Amino acid sequence: MEAGGLALAANFQDSAEAALTQIRRPWCVLSVITIAAVLITAGGGPLAAVSAGLSTFWPAHSPITPSPPSPSPPAVATNTHTCGDAVCESPETTSSCAADCPGATTPATCGEEPHSDPAGEAVAWGSAPENRVKSAAECCERCHMHAANPKNIKKPCNSWVFCYMPHCWSLDNGNTHTFGECWLKWQVNPKNPLYGQRGKYTDRFRKRHWNLHLSGKMPNGSPRNLTPPTHVPWTGGVMGAHVEYPKVTWQTDIEGIMTSSQGERIVPWRAWESREQNLARGVRAEFIPS
Protein backbone atom coordinates (compact mmCIF):
# COMPACT_ATOMS: atom_id res chain seq x y z
CA MET A 1 0.00 0.00 0.00
CA GLU A 2 2.85 2.31 0.87
CA ALA A 3 4.69 1.37 -2.28
CA GLY A 4 1.64 2.05 -4.38
CA GLY A 5 1.19 5.37 -2.72
CA LEU A 6 4.77 6.35 -3.47
CA ALA A 7 4.34 5.34 -7.10
CA LEU A 8 1.18 7.39 -7.38
CA ALA A 9 2.92 10.44 -5.89
CA ALA A 10 5.80 10.07 -8.34
CA ASN A 11 3.44 9.91 -11.27
CA PHE A 12 1.63 12.94 -10.06
CA GLN A 13 4.88 14.94 -9.80
CA ASP A 14 5.91 13.94 -13.32
CA SER A 15 2.56 15.04 -14.70
CA ALA A 16 2.79 18.38 -12.92
CA GLU A 17 6.29 19.09 -14.25
CA ALA A 18 5.20 18.21 -17.78
CA ALA A 19 2.26 20.58 -17.50
CA LEU A 20 4.50 23.37 -16.23
CA THR A 21 6.91 22.80 -19.13
CA GLN A 22 4.08 23.20 -21.62
CA ILE A 23 3.08 26.42 -19.90
CA ARG A 24 6.66 27.90 -19.79
CA ARG A 25 7.41 27.42 -23.50
CA PRO A 26 4.83 29.93 -24.85
CA TRP A 27 5.84 32.45 -22.24
CA CYS A 28 9.48 32.10 -23.24
CA VAL A 29 8.63 32.57 -26.90
CA LEU A 30 6.49 35.58 -26.07
CA SER A 31 9.29 37.09 -23.98
CA VAL A 32 11.82 36.67 -26.80
CA ILE A 33 9.49 38.31 -29.30
CA THR A 34 8.82 41.19 -26.91
CA ILE A 35 12.54 41.82 -26.27
CA ALA A 36 13.32 41.67 -30.01
CA ALA A 37 10.56 44.20 -30.80
CA VAL A 38 11.91 46.57 -28.16
CA LEU A 39 15.41 46.34 -29.58
CA ILE A 40 14.21 47.00 -33.15
CA THR A 41 12.03 49.97 -32.30
CA ALA A 42 14.65 51.43 -29.96
CA GLY A 43 17.06 51.57 -32.89
CA GLY A 44 19.89 49.80 -31.14
CA GLY A 45 21.59 46.44 -31.28
CA PRO A 46 22.31 44.08 -34.13
CA LEU A 47 18.65 43.62 -35.04
CA ALA A 48 18.36 47.36 -35.68
CA ALA A 49 21.43 47.20 -37.92
CA VAL A 50 19.90 44.35 -39.85
CA SER A 51 16.64 46.25 -40.18
CA ALA A 52 18.48 49.33 -41.43
CA GLY A 53 20.36 47.25 -43.97
CA LEU A 54 17.20 45.74 -45.31
CA SER A 55 15.70 49.18 -45.77
CA THR A 56 18.59 50.01 -48.10
CA PHE A 57 17.70 47.19 -50.44
CA TRP A 58 13.95 47.64 -50.16
CA PRO A 59 13.44 51.39 -49.52
CA ALA A 60 10.03 52.59 -48.48
CA HIS A 61 8.03 54.06 -51.37
CA SER A 62 7.18 57.73 -51.02
CA PRO A 63 3.74 58.76 -52.19
CA ILE A 64 3.78 59.89 -55.85
CA THR A 65 3.13 63.61 -56.17
CA PRO A 66 1.86 64.66 -59.63
CA SER A 67 4.03 67.28 -61.44
CA PRO A 68 2.51 70.73 -61.73
CA PRO A 69 1.11 71.51 -65.19
CA SER A 70 3.48 73.28 -67.60
CA PRO A 71 2.81 77.01 -67.80
CA SER A 72 0.95 78.12 -70.89
CA PRO A 73 2.97 80.18 -73.41
CA PRO A 74 2.42 83.92 -73.09
CA ALA A 75 -0.39 85.26 -75.20
CA VAL A 76 0.75 87.03 -78.36
CA ALA A 77 -0.44 90.60 -78.49
CA THR A 78 -2.77 91.15 -81.40
CA ASN A 79 -2.62 94.94 -81.26
CA THR A 80 0.94 95.62 -82.32
CA HIS A 81 0.29 98.91 -84.06
CA THR A 82 3.04 101.39 -83.29
CA CYS A 83 3.06 105.02 -84.36
CA GLY A 84 6.17 105.53 -86.42
CA ASP A 85 6.32 102.14 -88.15
CA ALA A 86 5.30 103.72 -91.49
CA VAL A 87 2.05 101.74 -91.58
CA CYS A 88 -1.29 103.46 -90.99
CA GLU A 89 -3.51 100.99 -89.16
CA SER A 90 -6.59 101.46 -87.01
CA PRO A 91 -6.91 103.06 -84.52
CA GLU A 92 -4.19 105.38 -85.92
CA THR A 93 -5.39 108.52 -87.72
CA THR A 94 -3.79 111.58 -89.25
CA SER A 95 -4.47 113.36 -85.94
CA SER A 96 -3.09 110.70 -83.59
CA CYS A 97 -0.22 109.54 -85.79
CA ALA A 98 0.80 111.92 -88.55
CA ALA A 99 3.95 109.86 -89.07
CA ASP A 100 2.04 106.89 -90.48
CA CYS A 101 -1.26 108.23 -91.75
CA PRO A 102 -2.97 108.39 -94.13
CA GLY A 103 -0.50 106.07 -95.85
CA ALA A 104 -0.69 105.09 -99.50
CA THR A 105 -4.31 104.94 -100.64
CA THR A 106 -3.97 104.80 -104.42
CA PRO A 107 -3.23 102.08 -107.02
CA ALA A 108 0.43 101.21 -107.59
CA THR A 109 0.34 102.91 -111.01
CA CYS A 110 -0.03 106.25 -109.22
CA GLY A 111 3.47 105.97 -107.77
CA GLU A 112 2.24 107.39 -104.48
CA GLU A 113 4.74 108.12 -101.73
CA PRO A 114 3.07 109.35 -98.52
CA HIS A 115 4.52 112.53 -97.04
CA SER A 116 5.97 113.74 -100.31
CA ASP A 117 5.73 116.77 -102.58
CA PRO A 118 6.76 115.75 -106.10
CA ALA A 119 8.14 118.64 -108.09
CA GLY A 120 7.47 119.70 -111.68
CA GLU A 121 5.81 122.42 -113.69
CA ALA A 122 2.18 122.92 -112.64
CA VAL A 123 -0.25 122.11 -115.45
CA ALA A 124 -3.32 122.38 -113.18
CA TRP A 125 -3.29 124.62 -110.10
CA GLY A 126 -4.68 122.89 -107.05
CA SER A 127 -5.82 126.13 -105.46
CA ALA A 128 -8.40 126.63 -108.23
CA PRO A 129 -11.91 125.55 -107.16
CA GLU A 130 -12.29 123.29 -110.19
CA ASN A 131 -9.13 121.39 -109.23
CA ARG A 132 -10.21 120.36 -105.74
CA VAL A 133 -11.00 116.70 -105.13
CA LYS A 134 -11.98 114.49 -102.22
CA SER A 135 -9.16 111.95 -102.19
CA ALA A 136 -5.65 111.13 -103.35
CA ALA A 137 -7.08 108.45 -105.65
CA GLU A 138 -9.26 111.04 -107.37
CA CYS A 139 -6.27 113.35 -107.76
CA CYS A 140 -4.25 110.58 -109.38
CA GLU A 141 -7.14 109.85 -111.73
CA ARG A 142 -7.23 113.52 -112.71
CA CYS A 143 -3.54 113.27 -113.64
CA HIS A 144 -4.21 110.17 -115.72
CA MET A 145 -7.06 111.88 -117.56
CA HIS A 146 -4.95 114.99 -118.22
CA ALA A 147 -2.18 112.89 -119.77
CA ALA A 148 -4.68 111.01 -121.93
CA ASN A 149 -6.06 114.23 -123.40
CA PRO A 150 -4.45 114.83 -126.83
CA LYS A 151 -4.38 118.58 -126.30
CA ASN A 152 -1.93 118.10 -123.41
CA ILE A 153 0.53 116.03 -125.43
CA LYS A 154 3.38 118.52 -125.02
CA LYS A 155 3.24 118.59 -121.23
CA PRO A 156 1.08 115.71 -120.02
CA CYS A 157 0.60 115.28 -116.30
CA ASN A 158 3.05 112.77 -114.88
CA SER A 159 3.12 113.79 -111.22
CA TRP A 160 0.48 114.92 -108.75
CA VAL A 161 0.20 116.27 -105.18
CA PHE A 162 -2.81 116.15 -102.87
CA CYS A 163 -3.52 118.09 -99.65
CA TYR A 164 -5.23 115.72 -97.20
CA MET A 165 -5.10 117.96 -94.11
CA PRO A 166 -7.42 120.87 -93.23
CA HIS A 167 -4.39 123.15 -93.56
CA CYS A 168 -1.33 121.83 -95.39
CA TRP A 169 1.79 123.58 -94.18
CA SER A 170 4.19 124.73 -96.91
CA LEU A 171 7.26 126.87 -97.39
CA ASP A 172 5.36 129.41 -99.50
CA ASN A 173 3.85 131.32 -96.59
CA GLY A 174 2.16 133.74 -98.97
CA ASN A 175 -0.40 131.02 -99.72
CA THR A 176 -2.69 128.99 -97.50
CA HIS A 177 -3.20 125.49 -98.78
CA THR A 178 -6.27 123.59 -97.60
CA PHE A 179 -7.89 120.19 -97.95
CA GLY A 180 -8.73 118.95 -101.44
CA GLU A 181 -6.09 120.80 -103.43
CA CYS A 182 -4.96 118.61 -106.32
CA TRP A 183 -1.88 119.86 -108.11
CA LEU A 184 -1.10 118.28 -111.48
CA LYS A 185 2.48 118.62 -112.67
CA TRP A 186 4.77 117.76 -115.53
CA GLN A 187 8.35 116.61 -115.06
CA VAL A 188 10.88 116.54 -117.88
CA ASN A 189 12.32 113.16 -116.92
CA PRO A 190 9.97 111.11 -114.71
CA LYS A 191 12.49 108.26 -114.73
CA ASN A 192 14.52 110.46 -112.38
CA PRO A 193 11.62 111.96 -110.42
CA LEU A 194 12.04 115.25 -108.64
CA TYR A 195 10.74 116.04 -105.16
CA GLY A 196 10.58 119.26 -103.21
CA GLN A 197 10.15 117.61 -99.80
CA ARG A 198 9.93 114.04 -98.56
CA GLY A 199 9.21 112.24 -95.30
CA LYS A 200 9.95 113.65 -91.88
CA TYR A 201 11.11 117.17 -91.16
CA THR A 202 14.26 117.39 -89.05
CA ASP A 203 14.06 119.29 -85.77
CA ARG A 204 16.27 122.11 -87.04
CA PHE A 205 14.16 122.42 -90.19
CA ARG A 206 11.03 122.86 -88.06
CA LYS A 207 12.78 125.29 -85.72
CA ARG A 208 13.99 127.49 -88.57
CA HIS A 209 10.50 127.71 -90.14
CA TRP A 210 8.48 127.70 -86.90
CA ASN A 211 6.86 131.10 -87.40
CA LEU A 212 6.24 130.83 -91.13
CA HIS A 213 2.48 130.23 -90.80
CA LEU A 214 1.79 131.98 -87.50
CA SER A 215 0.64 135.16 -89.22
CA GLY A 216 -1.86 135.98 -91.93
CA LYS A 217 -5.44 134.84 -92.41
CA MET A 218 -7.18 131.62 -93.31
CA PRO A 219 -9.62 131.67 -96.26
CA ASN A 220 -12.51 132.12 -93.79
CA GLY A 221 -10.84 135.16 -92.24
CA SER A 222 -9.68 133.49 -89.01
CA PRO A 223 -6.07 133.96 -87.87
CA ARG A 224 -3.63 131.52 -89.38
CA ASN A 225 -1.91 129.56 -86.63
CA LEU A 226 0.10 126.56 -87.79
CA THR A 227 3.61 125.43 -86.92
CA PRO A 228 5.57 122.96 -89.06
CA PRO A 229 4.28 119.39 -88.56
CA THR A 230 6.58 116.46 -87.96
CA HIS A 231 6.10 115.15 -91.51
CA VAL A 232 5.36 116.58 -94.93
CA PRO A 233 1.56 117.11 -94.85
CA TRP A 234 1.08 116.27 -98.52
CA THR A 235 0.92 113.02 -100.44
CA GLY A 236 1.79 112.64 -104.07
CA GLY A 237 3.34 110.49 -106.72
CA VAL A 238 5.09 110.25 -110.04
CA MET A 239 3.01 108.13 -112.41
CA GLY A 240 4.51 104.70 -112.96
CA ALA A 241 7.38 105.25 -110.54
CA HIS A 242 8.59 102.39 -108.37
CA VAL A 243 8.11 103.36 -104.72
CA GLU A 244 9.91 101.53 -101.92
CA TYR A 245 7.94 103.11 -99.09
CA PRO A 246 7.71 102.07 -96.26
CA LYS A 247 10.86 99.98 -96.71
CA VAL A 248 12.69 103.20 -97.49
CA THR A 249 11.75 106.43 -95.71
CA TRP A 250 13.05 109.96 -96.04
CA GLN A 251 13.67 113.10 -94.04
CA THR A 252 13.93 116.70 -95.18
CA ASP A 253 16.55 118.99 -93.65
CA ILE A 254 17.47 122.65 -93.95
CA GLU A 255 17.79 123.86 -97.56
CA GLY A 256 15.47 121.04 -98.57
CA ILE A 257 18.21 118.40 -98.59
CA MET A 258 16.56 114.97 -98.50
CA THR A 259 18.20 111.87 -97.03
CA SER A 260 16.85 108.34 -97.21
CA SER A 261 16.97 105.66 -94.54
CA GLN A 262 19.47 103.87 -96.81
CA GLY A 263 21.83 106.84 -96.89
CA GLU A 264 20.95 108.35 -100.27
CA ARG A 265 21.25 112.15 -100.28
CA ILE A 266 19.40 114.40 -102.74
CA VAL A 267 19.82 118.15 -103.10
CA PRO A 268 16.64 119.61 -104.62
CA TRP A 269 16.70 121.25 -108.02
CA ARG A 270 15.54 124.87 -108.13
CA ALA A 271 13.78 126.06 -111.24
CA TRP A 272 14.76 129.69 -110.63
CA GLU A 273 18.47 128.90 -110.58
CA SER A 274 20.72 128.27 -113.56
CA ARG A 275 22.20 124.88 -114.29
CA GLU A 276 25.56 126.07 -112.99
CA GLN A 277 24.03 127.32 -109.74
CA ASN A 278 22.20 124.04 -109.17
CA LEU A 279 25.35 122.02 -109.82
CA ALA A 280 27.30 124.24 -107.44
CA ARG A 281 24.79 123.51 -104.66
CA GLY A 282 25.26 119.78 -105.18
CA VAL A 283 22.29 118.93 -107.40
CA ARG A 284 23.06 115.81 -109.40
CA ALA A 285 23.10 116.32 -113.16
CA GLU A 286 20.38 113.70 -113.75
CA PHE A 287 18.00 115.77 -111.63
CA ILE A 288 18.46 118.91 -113.69
CA PRO A 289 15.92 119.15 -116.54
CA SER A 290 17.62 119.75 -119.88
Side-chain angles (χ1 to χ4, degrees):
M1 181 68 177
E2 182 179 354
L6 289 172
L8 179 61
N11 289 335
F12 179 79
Q13 184 178 358
D14 290 340
S15 298
E17 287 179 356
L20 287 172
T21 300
Q22 294 297 323
I23 294 172
R24 289 192 193 102
R25 285 176 181 173
W27 280 104
C28 290
V29 174
L30 179 61
S31 297
V32 171
I33 294 174
T34 303
I35 293 170
V38 170
L39 290 175
I40 292 173
T41 57
L47 291 176
V50 173
S51 175
L54 291 174
S55 67
T56 303
F57 291 99
W58 293 284
H61 293 286
S62 301
I64 299 175
T65 304
S67 302
S70 301
S72 300
V76 178
T78 56
N79 185 9
T80 57
H81 310 318
T82 303
C83 185
D85 62 2
V87 180
C88 183
E89 296 177 296
S90 178
E92 296 174 343
T93 64
T94 54
S95 299
S96 65
C97 185
D100 297 346
C101 297
T105 60
T106 61
T109 54
C110 295
E112 182 182 6
E113 182 181 311
H115 305 302
S116 72
D117 177 18
E121 179 181 343
V123 292
W125 288 66
S127 54
E130 65 273 16
N131 293 330
R132 289 181 177 270
V133 296
K134 296 180 180 180
S135 67
E138 188 177 351
C139 187
C140 171
E141 179 61 23
R142 288 280 188 99
C143 183
H144 174 74
M145 293 173 61
H146 183 279
N149 192 329
K151 71 177 185 180
N152 300 322
I153 192 171
K154 290 185 178 181
K155 294 182 178 181
C157 175
N158 53 25
S159 67
W160 55 275
V161 185
F162 176 68
C163 172
Y164 59 84
M165 298 289 288
H167 179 185
C168 288
W169 189 91
S170 63
L171 283 172
D172 57 329
N173 67 333
N175 297 300
T176 300
H177 301 285
T178 56
F179 176 81
E181 291 188 16
C182 174
W183 291 77
L184 306 184
K185 302 179 180 182
W186 172 76
Q187 297 192 17
V188 175
N189 185 9
K191 293 184 179 180
N192 288 311
L194 303 175
Y195 294 86
Q197 301 172 5
R198 299 172 90 172
K200 180 181 179 180
Y201 291 129
T202 63
D203 290 340
R204 62 179 183 174
F205 178 97
R206 297 178 68 211
K207 184 176 181 180
R208 171 175 287 190
H209 302 294
W210 193 259
N211 298 323
L212 207 58
H213 283 246
L214 292 181
S215 59
K217 300 287 185 179
M218 294 292 290
N220 62 4
S222 63
R224 194 170 62 173
N225 182 23
L226 184 67
T227 56
T230 57
H231 292 69
V232 177
W234 300 78
T235 189
V238 178
M239 302 295 284
H242 174 66
V243 179
E244 295 183 291
Y245 181 92
K247 180 181 178 182
V248 178
T249 57
W250 292 80
Q251 69 173 12
T252 300
D253 200 2
I254 294 175
E255 304 301 330
I257 296 175
M258 293 163 279
T259 306
S260 78
S261 55
Q262 294 187 339
E264 184 179 2
R265 184 174 182 271
I266 296 178
V267 179
W269 169 73
R270 293 174 179 171
W272 60 90
E273 292 181 349
S274 66
R275 179 180 177 84
E276 291 71 22
Q277 289 175 318
N278 277 289
L279 289 172
R281 280 194 304 108
V283 179
R284 302 207 302 257
E286 62 268 28
F287 290 120
I288 299 177
S290 56

